[in-house]
């Protein structure tokens, strides 16, 4: 369909249901790493479950309620970004991300999320873009900071995951702040 270059041999493309086999292979390579903070690593265990997961996002996209994109590095799916929530009527959305270990430290998430926020703010008129991260996920929080987001607050023990309740940090950037950040 389309591919957006992220530089250094990386591309951002739609992650569609027909890519379920490739998606589950990617999750298998990074399952433990991805699964530290992201629950879908536990859910996508085979091609059937991966297809159902990606189909749910295809349906979200058709309803204008979310979207999912993969990040390919030199032709291999290594991670992705998404609009977990997309509410055009309210002018708010939530972005998220994941990577397998081999792709970390290259700035891929920062570049890919920049593409998503640019589109959300400039093309779709979003006013507020949110980022939610487990308080212990320092890598994710660092990306939010690089994107010029502000820490709105911490929801204490808000997220039950693998039998433990975790704090969640809420970060956001407003459209005028995003434009100022991009000008710098």
């Amino acid at each position: 369909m389309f591919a957006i270059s992220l530089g250094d041999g990386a591309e951002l493309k739609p992650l569609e249901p027909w890519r379920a086999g490739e998606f589950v292979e990617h999750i298998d390579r990074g399952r433990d790493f991805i699964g530290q903070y992201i629950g879908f690593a536990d859910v996508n265990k085979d091609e059937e479950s991966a297809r159902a997961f990606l189909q749910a996002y295809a349906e979200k996209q058709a309803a204008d309620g979310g979207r999912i994109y993969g990040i390919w590095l030199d032709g291999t799916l290594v991670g992705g970004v998404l609009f977990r929530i997309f509410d055009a009527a309210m002018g708010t959305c939530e972005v998220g991300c994941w990577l397998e270990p081999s792709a970390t430290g290259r700035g891929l998430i920062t570049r890919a999320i920049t593409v998503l926020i640019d589109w959300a703010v400039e093309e779709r008129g979003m006013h507020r873009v949110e980022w939610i991260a487990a308080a212990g996920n320092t890598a994710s929080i660092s990306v939010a900071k690089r994107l010029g987001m502000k820490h709105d607050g911490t929801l204490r023990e808000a997220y039950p995951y693998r039998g433990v309740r975790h704090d969640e940090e809420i970060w956001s950037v407003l459209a005028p702040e995003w434009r100022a950040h991009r000008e710098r």
Side-chain angles (χ1 to χ4, degrees):
M1 183 86 207
F2 72 82
I4 297 171
S5 174
L6 299 174
D8 303 321
E11 292 182 312
L12 183 68
K13 299 189 275 192
L15 190 49
E16 298 173 330
W18 64 272
R19 293 189 177 274
E22 187 177 12
F23 180 63
V24 79
E25 288 173 9
H26 150 63
I27 295 297
D28 284 344
R29 287 192 304 271
R31 188 172 306 282
D32 292 338
F33 181 77
I34 295 166
Q36 292 176 83
Y37 300 106
I38 299 174
F40 75 65
D42 294 342
V43 174
N44 292 288
K45 298 211 176 242
D46 55 30
E47 193 166 339
E48 182 181 343
S49 58
R51 185 177 313 282
F53 177 79
L54 296 175
Q55 183 62 42
Y57 268 94
E59 291 167 12
K60 274 183 151 186
Q61 182 167 339
D64 201 25
R67 288 167 173 70
I68 191 167
Y69 303 92
I71 298 171
W72 279 260
L73 182 60
D74 299 323
T76 301
L77 179 62
V78 296
V81 294
L82 53 79
F83 288 108
R84 195 180 76 77
I85 297 168
F86 195 88
D87 188 338
M90 292 295 292
T92 62
C93 60
E94 178 192 333
V95 292
C97 66
W98 74 95
L99 279 177
E100 62 184 65
S102 66
T104 62
R106 299 170 185 245
L108 295 173
I109 293 298
T110 302
R111 287 181 269 163
I113 292 288
T114 296
V115 170
L116 266 61
I117 297 174
D118 278 346
W119 179 80
V121 168
E122 302 304 338
E123 295 294 322
R124 296 302 307 278
M126 289 290 157
H127 179 71
R128 177 182 169 87
V129 179
E130 295 181 348
W131 181 279
I132 299 175
N137 191 344
T138 56
S140 183
I141 292 166
S142 292
V143 173
K145 290 176 183 177
R146 279 193 298 278
L147 292 167
M149 293 185 166
K150 307 270 188 280
H151 182 234
D152 290 337
T154 301
L155 302 175
R156 299 176 308 130
E157 297 186 5
Y159 180 60
Y161 184 59
R162 294 182 174 174
V164 177
R165 296 198 73 85
H166 297 269
D167 293 352
E168 285 185 327
E169 292 194 14
I170 312 298
W171 292 76
S172 69
V173 64
L174 304 179
E177 296 167 341
W178 179 250
R179 290 181 184 109
H181 173 77
R182 291 293 279 152
E183 287 178 11
R184 281 182 247 156

